[in-house]
Amino acid sequence: MQHSSITEAPHIDIQDMDFTYSARVRLFDALRWRLERGSITGLLGKNGAGKSTFLRLVAGLLQPHGGAIYQAGVRPGDRSLALLQSQFLVPDAFEFPARSRVSSYVKAWSAFYPAFSFEKFEQILSDFQTSSARRFGEMSFGQQKKVHIAFALATNCPLLLMDEPTNGLDIPSKSYFRKILGRFLADEQSVIISTHQVKDVENLIDRIAVLEGGKMIFDQTLDSITQQYSMGLSTSLPEDALYHELMGGGYQFLRQRREGETQTPMQLELFFNAILSGKVNLTNGL
């Protein structure tokens, strides 16, 4: 028996989604959002904003209490085989069987993903300087996280959801993580990376979406942001600065980009803090 498959990167369409954990606490309130195919999106928000819950809703592990979520026209909560084979979630918290070898675990679970590449899996593990011959019980949390990331990329799923993927990784491994995603992702794949460590993904993502107060309050490409705003460091605060932070003996600042001015590099943490402080025009971000 053959099953249909979803081969294109899912276009996520969230329509007026509500979700509550209790009658008194509404986490999401009529949230609307759309994800274009082929983007690497950084999902940002303060602790408690609901980033992990959002990914679980998109994956179909939780059901919205109002509104709807669609992946390529399919509701994730229906748990169709084709949709499950087209997505992979790397959770922040997980537990592998301690006595199992990585190779045995991968052999068992890879059968679920028709496009799984053992060659890619082994190459990524090698780049991460670990081996599939090891047992999970012999590995640190960070090493197990590397296995999870390698497995996710080896599935070749059109949609990858990653919840705090750099947690537990040392500084060299974080650098490898960015290089690996840049090397092994296909143009048509979509990735959502939920993180509070924004500097870890600054040079990797091409758009940001910000959760706050039960809504998606901002959604723009990084190129669009740097076309509108300039970010820099100065010993004196520019008069037209919209937002600033003290840094050493000077100021890290955000201001409107002037006509004809060269685009400045993105400073994601600064810009994220400016959004939360209300210094960015959110009507231009959605």
Side-chain angles (χ1 to χ4, degrees):
M1 178 178 178
Q2 292 186 347
H3 301 276
S4 60
S5 62
I6 298 174
T7 57
E8 293 185 347
H11 186 137
I12 296 172
D13 185 10
I14 300 178
Q15 303 174 1
D16 297 319
M17 180 182 72
D18 296 333
F19 184 81
T20 61
Y21 275 117
S22 70
R24 293 178 294 176
V25 180
R26 174 170 288 188
L27 187 57
F28 300 127
D29 182 16
L31 185 149
R32 296 182 180 183
W33 190 58
R34 291 170 68 87
L35 176 70
E36 300 299 330
R37 294 178 173 88
S39 66
I40 304 177
T41 300
L43 179 65
L44 310 181
K46 295 185 292 189
N47 288 338
K51 300 186 296 297
S52 297
T53 300
F54 182 87
L55 292 184
R56 291 171 66 82
L57 283 159
V58 170
L61 298 173
L62 295 173
Q63 295 275 16
H65 297 148
I69 305 173
Y70 295 97
Q71 279 188 41
V74 179
R75 292 177 183 260
D78 292 343
R79 310 295 286 167
S80 74
L81 179 60
L83 187 138
L84 291 174
Q85 291 178 328
S86 74
Q87 66 173 22
F88 191 88
L89 169 65
V90 178
D92 183 27
F94 52 84
E95 187 174 344
F96 288 115
R99 300 187 64 180
S100 292
R101 294 191 186 275
V102 173
S103 56
S104 299
Y105 183 89
V106 170
K107 183 178 180 180
W109 287 97
S110 62
F112 189 73
Y113 298 95
F116 191 89
S117 169
F118 286 94
E119 181 181 359
K120 181 185 287 190
F121 177 76
E122 292 292 345
Q123 181 60 61
I124 295 171
L125 278 192
S126 176
D127 289 349
F128 270 140
Q129 300 181 333
T130 189
S131 168
S132 60
R134 301 183 65 184
R135 297 183 189 275
F136 286 112
E138 302 168 347
M139 305 173 79
S140 67
F141 174 79
Q143 291 168 334
Q144 292 184 18
K145 177 67 73 73
K146 294 174 185 178
V147 173
H148 227 147
I149 292 169
F151 189 95
L153 289 167
T155 65
N156 291 303
C157 286
L159 177 64
L160 299 179
L161 307 169
M162 296 187 172
D163 191 5
E164 302 288 354
T166 59
N167 272 5
L169 300 185
D170 56 23
I171 292 175
S173 296
K174 290 179 180 182
S175 178
Y176 278 122
F177 169 73
R178 292 189 290 269
K179 293 176 182 177
I180 285 167
L181 255 67
R183 176 181 174 189
F184 288 102
L185 279 178
D187 290 342
E188 66 273 12
Q189 285 181 288
S190 297
V191 186
I192 304 176
I193 301 175
S194 164
T195 183
H196 69 277
Q197 301 182 49
V198 294
K199 289 187 176 180
D200 289 348
V201 300
E202 187 170 57
N203 298 320
L204 175 64
I205 61 176
D206 50 43
R207 87 181 296 119
I208 63 170
V210 179
L211 279 172
E212 175 69 13
K215 306 282 189 181
M216 195 72 79
I217 64 169
F218 189 89
D219 177 20
Q220 262 193 44
T221 65
L222 267 61
D223 182 63
S224 175
I225 293 167
T226 56
Q227 286 184 26
Q228 298 173 67
Y229 299 97
S230 289
M231 290 161 250
L233 183 64
S234 175
T235 55
S236 59
L237 184 64
E239 292 183 0
D240 57 350
L242 299 172
Y243 176 79
H244 70 274
E245 297 175 356
L246 292 174
M247 178 165 287
Y251 300 90
Q252 193 176 22
F253 66 86
L254 170 78
R255 60 170 172 77
Q256 292 284 347
R257 180 172 169 237
R258 297 161 186 160
E259 186 175 354
E261 186 176 34
T262 301
Q263 285 178 251
T264 57
M266 183 68 184
Q267 298 180 33
L268 188 55
E269 187 171 3
L270 175 77
F271 191 77
F272 174 59
N273 291 337
I275 290 174
L276 295 183
S277 72
K279 302 300 183 180
V280 172
N281 184 1
L282 299 181
T283 60
N284 292 331
L286 291 169

